[in-house]
Amino acid sequence: MPKLSYLKALNRALADELERDPAVFVLGEDIRAAASNVTAGLHARFGSDRVLDTPLSEQAFTNFATGAALAGMRPVIEFQIPSLLFLVFEQIANQAHKFSLMTGGQCKVPVTYVVPGSGSRTGWAGQHSDHPYSLFAHVGVKTVVPATPADAYGLLVTAIRDDDPVVFFAPSAALGVRDDLDFAALAPVPLGVGRVARAGDDVTVVALGHLVHDALAVADELAGQGISVEVFDPRTVYPLDVAGLIASVQKTRRLLVIDDSNRTSGFAAEVLAVVAENCTLTAPPRRITRPDGAVLPFALALDRAVQPGREQLLTTLLEMS
């Protein structure tokens, strides 16, 4: 079977949906040039009516997409930088998200926002490196962070077909991940359904996006020391697969969450709260996150020290054992 990268899976999902549904179109900055390679080849194949370059105004093209969705189209916006979501939080959370709720379901706003997540550890620095998926989950916007090429394809297809806004985070550190995949086996993945990426008995590690691969590597290392780690990948931040999470933690009775966002009111805090309400643990739950108010430095060594990763995960799991 051919190896499919996360990046190619995103590109294939866009191409398949553009081919399948004439209401789908893609827009954003440097889309035709495919600056991030997510949209490579799409303009040549589908033309300027379906693959649109926009001015450098996130607020303008985000509101434009909302209007197009209300008129029956299915826009997909590709953002260049995750921190730019702060500029359009009002347009997504207060406008696109609420139209359906405020009209009793009479209006649909099927917009997908494809965002290059942080987690690259390559010196994006303070104003380019935020990972604000928790903010969108907090206000009830559907939010996904896939870890694998198959999930990147399947969740992007599902997001585009969904009648509500969906924010789709594609962590930069995961874009090069490659899996052996049969293209014919690629299929939509439902929102709100997590997966056990690795079964284990001693402790559950909950991880998202690129951190799933760090968790799997650490689990392999600890298996040689007799520590059995279960890795649970929620895939969807909102809606969260509460049943799947509880089932995993009820089996292991221990929990560690590794989360590439800020600590206070973050995704890790929500996972810990859900488990505290529903499970009996044999040890206090732990979490590894970015520091509160973290501004990622430009210097690579400091950048890597601030973002959670494999070393912190290994140390914490050994402390819990």
Side-chain angles (χ1 to χ4, degrees):
M1 290 185 292
K3 283 188 176 293
L4 179 68
S5 73
Y6 192 114
L7 182 62
K8 291 293 186 182
L10 295 178
N11 180 264
R12 187 181 180 95
L14 290 174
D16 285 354
E17 289 306 290
L18 284 163
E19 183 70 36
R20 186 189 67 85
D21 186 350
V24 174
F25 70 99
V26 183
L27 69 157
E29 299 163 358
D30 290 329
I31 292 295
R32 290 175 59 174
S36 66
N37 287 320
V38 171
T39 56
L42 297 184
H43 181 262
R45 180 174 172 185
F46 296 101
S48 298
D49 290 341
R50 309 286 304 283
V51 183
L52 285 67
D53 272 340
T54 66
L56 300 180
S57 175
E58 281 71 26
Q59 292 169 317
F61 64 68
T62 301
N63 267 341
F64 168 76
T66 300
L70 288 167
M73 303 299 287
R74 290 187 176 270
V76 181
I77 301 175
E78 188 204 359
F79 286 87
Q80 296 296 316
I81 297 167
S83 300
L84 294 174
L85 288 171
F86 294 134
L87 293 174
V88 297
F89 189 77
E90 195 278 338
Q91 283 94 331
I92 298 173
N94 198 39
Q95 302 296 330
H97 170 55
K98 292 183 178 177
F99 273 119
S100 178
L101 300 171
M102 294 172 66
T103 62
Q106 296 179 76
C107 291
K108 295 180 174 59
V109 190
V111 185
T112 303
Y113 313 91
V114 178
V115 184
S118 187
S120 61
R121 306 187 186 100
T122 54
W124 280 17
Q127 293 183 321
H128 294 72
S129 301
D130 296 285
H131 217 175
Y133 45 79
S134 296
L135 294 180
F136 292 95
H138 176 72
V139 295
V141 176
K142 295 174 181 178
T143 306
V144 300
V145 189
T148 68
D151 284 345
Y153 176 92
L155 285 167
L156 183 52
V157 166
T158 297
I160 294 170
R161 297 179 187 181
D162 199 283
D163 285 335
D164 294 321
V166 181
V167 185
F168 184 105
F169 285 88
S172 298
L175 294 180
V177 171
R178 305 175 71 87
D179 282 338
D180 292 325
L181 288 172
D182 182 348
F183 291 155
L186 292 173
V189 174
L191 301 182
V193 180
R195 68 184 182 103
V196 175
R198 178 191 175 105
D201 299 312
D202 296 331
V203 58
T204 294
V205 172
V206 175
L208 283 169
H210 62 291
L211 293 175
V212 172
H213 304 287
D214 285 341
L216 291 171
V218 170
D220 285 343
E221 182 173 347
L222 290 178
Q225 302 179 39
I227 301 172
S228 177
V229 177
E230 177 148 309
V231 179
F232 182 75
D233 174 11
R235 300 194 286 198
T236 305
V237 179
Y238 185 87
L240 177 65
D241 183 0
V242 172
L245 170 64
I246 290 172
S248 176
V249 178
Q250 283 180 330
K251 180 174 71 169
T252 65
R253 303 294 181 182
R254 290 172 183 253
L255 171 67
L256 172 60
V257 185
I258 183 165
D259 173 23
D260 188 32
S261 62
N262 290 2
R263 192 173 187 85
T264 297
S265 302
F267 173 69
E270 178 64 20
V271 172
L272 263 62
V274 169
V275 168
E277 291 174 342
N278 293 279
C279 301
T280 301
L281 303 180
T282 57
R286 301 284 297 274
R287 53 183 162 155
I288 301 169
T289 68
R290 294 186 184 188
D292 280 335
V295 175
L296 294 192
F298 178 75
L300 287 178
L302 297 177
D303 177 320
R304 291 165 182 164
V306 171
Q307 294 189 61
R310 191 173 303 185
E311 296 79 10
Q312 296 158 284
L313 181 58
L314 177 61
T315 299
T316 306
L317 283 169
L318 287 172
E319 291 172 354
M320 296 174 67
S321 300

